[in-house]
Amino acid sequence: VWGLADLVLALGSEGQVLDVGPPATVLDRSGPTLQAAGIWLPDGMPRRGHAAKGGPKPRGPASPRGEMPPSTGLPRSSGLAVGEPVLALRDAWFGYDRVEPVLHGATLEVGRGEVVALVGPNGSGKSTLLRLASGLDHPSTGSVTVGSDRVGYVFQELNLLAGLTARENVSLRLELDGRPFREARAEADRALQSVGLAPLADRFPDALSGGEQQRVAIARALVGRRRVLLADEPTGALDSITGETVMR
């Protein structure tokens, strides 16, 4: 994930932002802090002391809990964005009822074509941040702006419909969008082919392995020319080779 990302957002165990920036910059600047927080760090990845030319400038040491830099000059990775960002979080906080907030002031801007890796230990608020970005939840304070209503989401729980085949699970969202039946099924078949599941298109979820179900969920999120793709541990049930192939 680190190697494929343009930008990394690291969260601590209490939902605070530890660092955000290009992967190599985050590793150089906050590696010991991330390791102490229980975050997996890649081996053998090129590192540098400063962001690449044209990328964001280092933002100093990791922010203490509850404190974030001003929302102006939001971190962006590599100049791939054109015009308005496709996703922007500005000092977004979230808590369930009166419980201690699970997300503390996340600030991030994602441009078109950028890949962002969200890293952090269990309970750090990664899934919460994705739910905010998708519009499934709303921040307690701060703001979340999504530049398109064409958002694909790979749920951690997968949420496949047991009474539908793999093809039908993928095509359903297109049919609900008003796409003709045959066109929706053809696009579903192409999406399943892209994740290596074309031969299993007529199987129901309970006849698929956990990894195969996860690939169906990924195919479902991809169909329909989605401008924003959010994925919650999308390769957790896949072997390393299949996971890397799907991510690419």
Side-chain angles (χ1 to χ4, degrees):
V1 172
W2 285 81
L4 295 174
D6 300 304
L7 196 68
V8 169
L9 174 63
L11 296 174
S13 60
E14 297 179 327
Q16 75 277 29
V17 176
L18 298 178
D19 203 350
V20 59
T25 300
V26 170
L27 286 172
D28 279 345
R29 185 166 57 210
S30 303
T33 300
L34 303 185
Q35 191 169 34
I39 296 174
W40 176 83
L41 302 181
D43 293 325
M45 183 175 174
R47 301 189 181 189
R48 58 185 183 273
H50 302 284
K53 184 177 181 181
K57 296 179 180 179
R59 298 177 57 196
S63 302
R65 175 178 174 178
E67 295 183 11
M68 282 295 297
S71 59
T72 56
L74 300 182
R76 175 178 283 171
S77 63
S78 58
L80 291 173
V82 177
E84 292 298 315
V86 295
L87 174 65
L89 291 86
R90 292 178 171 85
D91 198 25
W93 293 64
F94 183 83
Y96 295 97
D97 298 323
R98 297 183 179 179
V99 179
E100 180 75 13
V102 295
L103 191 65
H104 296 257
T107 295
L108 177 70
E109 185 174 289
V110 183
R112 179 173 61 85
E114 292 184 324
V115 177
V116 178
L118 186 60
V119 299
N122 290 340
S124 61
K126 300 186 298 295
S127 295
T128 298
L129 191 150
L130 290 175
R131 289 180 65 85
L132 295 181
S134 69
L136 293 174
D137 284 322
H138 300 284
S140 305
T141 61
S143 66
V144 177
T145 303
V146 183
S148 172
D149 60 356
R150 305 189 69 80
V151 178
Y153 199 120
V154 182
F155 294 91
Q156 188 174 358
E157 301 83 4
L158 304 184
N159 292 337
L160 299 179
L161 298 178
L164 299 182
T165 65
R167 178 186 291 111
E168 291 167 341
N169 264 284
V170 176
S171 67
L172 178 61
R173 68 177 301 166
L174 297 174
E175 295 173 43
L176 293 175
D177 284 344
R179 299 279 288 278
F181 175 82
R182 290 182 182 276
E183 184 179 317
R185 293 301 174 93
E187 185 167 343
D189 284 341
R190 289 193 293 271
L192 290 170
Q193 175 71 41
S194 72
V195 295
L197 286 183
L200 307 181
D202 292 319
R203 290 194 183 182
F204 291 92
D206 62 0
L208 299 172
S209 69
E212 290 165 347
Q213 290 181 26
Q214 191 157 40
R215 282 186 278 166
V216 173
I218 292 170
R220 179 182 59 189
L222 292 174
V223 295
R225 297 181 181 178
R226 306 297 157 181
R227 291 196 63 199
V228 178
L229 179 62
L230 304 171
D232 195 346
E233 299 190 15
T235 60
L238 305 180
D239 62 80
S240 58
I241 296 176
T242 302
E244 183 173 353
T245 300
V246 168
M247 288 294 293
R248 293 186 181 279

